[in-house]
Amino acid sequence: MRLAMIGLGKMGGNMVRRLRRAGIEVVGYDRDAKTVAGLAEEAGMIAATSVADAVSKLGPPPSPRVVWLMLPSGDPTENQLKDLAPMLSRGDIVVDGGNSNFKDSQRRGAWLAERDIGFMDSGTSGGVWGLDNGYCLMVGATPEVAKTLEPVLRALAPAPDRGWAHVGPVGAGHYSKMIHNGIEYGMMQALAEGLDLLKGKQEFNYDLAQLTELWRHSSVVRSWLLDLTADGLKNDQELANVAPFVPDSGEGRWTVIDSVEQGIAAPVLTLALQMRFASQDKKGYSYRLLSLMRNAFGGHAVKSTGEGK
Amino acid sequence: MRLAMIGLGKMGGNMVRRLRRAGIEVVGYDRDAKTVAGLAEEAGMIAATSVADAVSKLGPPPSPRVVWLMLPSGDPTENQLKDLAPMLSRGDIVVDGGNSNFKDSQRRGAWLAERDIGFMDSGTSGGVWGLDNGYCLMVGATPEVAKTLEPVLRALAPAPDRGWAHVGPVGAGHYSKMIHNGIEYGMMQALAEGLDLLKGKQEFNYDLAQLTELWRHSSVVRSWLLDLTADGLKNDQELANVAPFVPDSGEGRWTVIDSVEQGIAAPVLTLALQMRFASQDKKGYSYRLLSLMRNAFGGHAVKSTGEGK
């Protein structure tokens, strides 16, 4: 089996390494030629100079030839797919392993199906640890397409028989990954709030590195997120150099939008996202307004920024 | 070292078993004589017919003699401690291994200190799995008291060198256990909300047992709570026989009260608790009121219960 990986960033590059360790031939392309050359040298990847070159290096049909996109969601994935489709033949398969919105994946799957090209959406969890631990893969596809990709999934997963699954039709892979990330937001926020309360309780002068390490063993909250937190706090628990600003990517927002569209309550996942927005808001206009109102009705002092006059 | 365990329920009984496995002599008392007889027979525990009998079976001073209370928090622990203190001598130690409020533990520790009796508050996580996995123990005490209890903590923990720690002065054990449980509420709610959205997404017809099992391997949300959820969903994922009613014990509430007292935001921990209250509210009076208001200002139809006239 031969597969082309398009996009050799943090995720795509490590996935190529993992596939090569399993002896799977991979053609690789990235906009950055140095990355391509490096992976060719290091992992025995077949270097491509363009997407067209990558497809040609998969050899001629008979199909299926597989092109795996590992690109930022939105325009980069959309544009690449538009360029790629005319280069493929009936029976070939495109995999989107990025964090695309499941509605885009459903639309793209239908669009490729009209051209008799298969599509699989793969929700991929594991981050930078996936190279060694394996990736958790939730894939949406027809049974035939999923079957074709099975050797690749078995190589990328933590073990051939676990950590990957064909969870439903096209779209179901990215939808379940979206919910996975929504849950991740909630779990992270719960851990962060609890540790913040412990930090605030000055009379007990807790060593948060000790406590989080302790909880890793037989406690109810033991989890991979706790493991990472405990490791991080070992070096520094003041976090003075970490700005209190939490970015968010698409999946947390889409989870909340989906909760609204389904009319199913998900208040904690929603609030975990909203707290990230609050952290991103440097202007604090709503807080300024509240201060204004308190002053207006109760004469409460307004704390000044010292700016303006 | 000889220790008396008062209260041989789910937690106390298994702790006796674990201590006995480590060769520690334990005198045990419970209101239920059958439980006492059973543990004496099964685990070689020294049976006591009353708390006074348990103390006398610890032998005469020299101290320290250790009495470990494993009772429901609130009045049962308070009353037992009041009865127990006069039976003890200078230098003896009382351990409260239950889920007491840390303020009670601070007060009790000070009260016993006036009598030259030591006190240790032990936050104990691990539930019914603790017998085999070991307990995660967060203890608050003076360094001397913690040192005396070290052999017991090493036997109860998952391993002699991990899963237990002296985290601070009296009160610090129960406070950290309280926050641990607050975090647990948030993590549980995040998982439940995400799985509820997946269940609602009928077009994908997910097998939630498959998905949760899948996430156990290399995903970011892998956790012990996910492990238990995956195991539970294997047998039944409709949960038709499980009432949608979630009790709460003291710790979740105390975490939220502490957030208010410290003035530190913990919105997700708070909301996770509030959602439990909502699940407990069969009357739904606030929902009835909202329906009334919608009808009043907009003429929107009120859904009838069919009760009354």
Side-chain angles (χ1 to χ4, degrees):
Chain A
M1 142 149 273
R2 203 179 260 188
L3 171 143
M5 181 73 71
I6 310 298
L8 304 172
K10 266 186 301 188
M11 293 292 283
N14 279 341
M15 289 168 82
V16 166
R17 289 184 181 93
R18 199 165 165 89
L19 290 169
R20 291 297 301 137
R21 287 183 189 174
I24 293 176
E25 282 197 21
V26 184
V27 181
Y29 171 70
D30 191 275
R31 284 186 312 180
D32 178 31
K34 269 194 187 166
T35 301
V36 176
L39 271 165
E41 167 93 18
E42 174 204 330
M45 181 190 78
I46 300 164
T49 56
S50 67
V51 173
D53 184 43
V55 173
S56 78
K57 282 179 171 155
L58 286 175
S63 297
R65 300 176 300 177
V66 175
V67 181
W68 190 301
L69 304 181
M70 211 62 211
L71 298 168
S73 65
D75 286 345
T77 295
E78 182 77 13
N79 295 336
Q80 186 58 76
L81 193 68
K82 288 266 166 63
D83 289 349
L84 172 66
M87 305 174 194
L88 299 178
S89 305
R90 176 181 283 229
D92 288 342
I93 297 172
V94 177
V95 180
D96 178 5
N99 277 333
S100 294
N101 186 297
F102 75 100
K103 291 181 181 175
D104 287 335
S105 299
Q106 289 180 307
R107 177 176 51 74
R108 289 166 188 159
W111 182 74
L112 289 168
E114 288 170 14
R115 285 150 189 78
D116 286 323
I117 297 171
F119 180 77
M120 184 174 91
D121 52 303
S122 174
T124 313
S125 184
V128 292
W129 299 75
L131 173 60
D132 292 319
N133 293 354
Y135 297 90
C136 181
L137 301 154
M138 307 141 236
V139 307
T142 61
E144 298 71 31
V145 166
K147 186 80 192 156
T148 303
L149 265 296
E150 196 174 311
V152 174
L153 297 170
R154 289 165 64 95
L156 289 172
D161 61 340
R162 58 186 165 79
W164 70 272
H166 176 215
V167 300
V170 167
H174 280 151
Y175 182 86
S176 58
K177 176 57 163 46
M178 174 188 89
I179 298 294
H180 167 280
N181 283 30
I183 292 171
E184 177 188 308
Y185 276 46
M187 291 175 74
M188 288 172 68
Q189 181 72 24
L191 275 166
E193 289 180 9
L195 294 174
D196 197 22
L197 291 173
L198 285 163
K199 180 78 175 161
K201 204 69 174 178
Q202 292 176 3
E203 68 183 290
F204 292 141
N205 192 28
Y206 286 112
D207 175 350
L208 292 189
Q210 180 200 43
L211 254 180
T212 48
E213 175 59 35
L214 170 57
W215 285 351
R216 295 177 67 181
H217 307 286
S218 287
S219 91
V220 173
V221 301
R222 62 189 189 265
S223 54
W224 191 57
L225 285 165
L226 177 67
D227 294 343
L228 298 179
T229 306
D231 282 343
L233 291 173
K234 267 171 202 138
N235 305 319
D236 166 26
Q237 56 185 275
E238 294 308 319
L239 305 182
N241 290 321
V242 181
F245 178 98
V246 197
D248 73 288
S249 56
E251 315 249 9
R253 297 187 185 205
W254 300 336
T255 299
V256 174
I257 291 170
D258 184 71
S259 152
V260 173
E261 288 181 351
Q262 286 205 64
I264 292 179
V268 157
L269 305 191
T270 302
L271 191 49
L273 174 71
Q274 298 283 341
M275 292 304 288
R276 293 203 185 183
F277 295 161
S279 84
Q280 295 162 12
D281 174 15
K282 283 186 191 156
K283 291 190 180 154
Y285 193 64
S286 71
Y287 297 142
R288 294 176 199 243
L289 285 166
L290 292 171
S291 200
L292 182 80
M293 287 184 239
R294 289 184 83 243
N295 177 260
F297 70 69
H300 302 291
V302 170
K303 182 177 173 182
S304 168
T305 59
E307 291 168 27
K309 313 202 175 185
Chain B
M1 140 149 276
R2 204 179 259 189
L3 171 145
M5 182 73 71
I6 310 299
L8 304 172
K10 266 185 303 186
M11 292 292 283
N14 279 341
M15 289 168 80
V16 166
R17 289 184 181 92
R18 199 165 165 89
L19 289 169
R20 292 295 302 134
R21 288 183 188 174
I24 294 176
E25 283 197 21
V26 184
V27 180
Y29 170 71
D30 191 276
R31 284 186 313 181
D32 179 32
K34 270 195 187 165
T35 300
V36 177
L39 271 166
E41 166 92 19
E42 174 203 331
M45 180 189 78
I46 301 164
T49 56
S50 67
V51 173
D53 184 42
V55 172
S56 78
K57 283 180 171 154
L58 286 175
S63 297
R65 301 175 300 177
V66 174
V67 181
W68 190 301
L69 304 181
M70 211 64 211
L71 298 168
S73 65
D75 285 346
T77 295
E78 182 76 14
N79 295 335
Q80 186 57 78
L81 193 67
K82 289 266 166 64
D83 290 349
L84 172 66
M87 306 173 194
L88 298 178
S89 305
R90 175 182 286 230
D92 288 342
I93 296 172
V94 177
V95 180
D96 179 4
N99 278 331
S100 293
N101 186 297
F102 75 99
K103 290 181 183 176
D104 288 335
S105 299
Q106 288 180 308
R107 176 176 51 74
R108 291 166 187 158
W111 183 75
L112 289 168
E114 288 170 15
R115 286 149 189 77
D116 287 323
I117 297 171
F119 181 76
M120 184 175 89
D121 51 304
S122 173
T124 313
S125 183
V128 293
W129 299 75
L131 173 60
D132 292 320
N133 294 353
Y135 298 90
C136 181
L137 301 153
M138 307 140 237
V139 307
T142 61
E144 297 70 33
V145 166
K147 186 78 191 158
T148 303
L149 266 297
E150 195 174 311
V152 174
L153 297 169
R154 290 165 64 94
L156 290 172
D161 61 341
R162 59 186 164 80
W164 71 273
H166 176 216
V167 300
V170 167
H174 280 151
Y175 182 87
S176 58
K177 175 58 163 46
M178 176 189 89
I179 297 295
H180 167 280
N181 283 31
I183 292 171
E184 177 188 308
Y185 276 45
M187 291 175 76
M188 288 172 68
Q189 180 72 24
L191 275 165
E193 290 180 9
L195 294 174
D196 197 21
L197 291 173
L198 285 162
K199 180 79 175 160
K201 204 70 175 176
Q202 293 176 2
E203 67 182 293
F204 293 141
N205 192 29
Y206 285 113
D207 176 349
L208 292 189
Q210 180 199 43
L211 253 180
T212 47
E213 175 60 34
L214 169 58
W215 285 350
R216 295 177 68 182
H217 307 285
S218 286
S219 91
V220 173
V221 301
R222 63 189 189 264
S223 53
W224 193 56
L225 286 164
L226 177 66
D227 294 344
L228 298 178
T229 306
D231 282 343
L233 291 173
K234 268 172 199 136
N235 305 318
D236 166 25
Q237 57 185 273
E238 294 308 319
L239 306 181
N241 290 322
V242 180
F245 178 97
V246 197
D248 72 288
S249 56
E251 314 248 10
R253 297 187 186 205
W254 299 336
T255 299
V256 174
I257 291 169
D258 183 71
S259 152
V260 173
E261 287 181 351
Q262 286 205 62
I264 292 180
V268 157
L269 305 189
T270 302
L271 191 48
L273 174 71
Q274 299 283 342
M275 293 305 288
R276 293 203 184 183
F277 295 161
S279 84
Q280 295 163 12
D281 174 15
K282 282 186 191 154
K283 291 190 180 152
Y285 193 66
S286 72
Y287 296 143
R288 294 175 200 244
L289 285 166
L290 292 171
S291 199
L292 182 81
M293 287 183 238
R294 288 184 82 243
N295 177 261
F297 68 68
H300 302 291
V302 170
K303 182 176 172 180
S304 169
T305 60
E307 292 167 24
K309 310 198 178 187

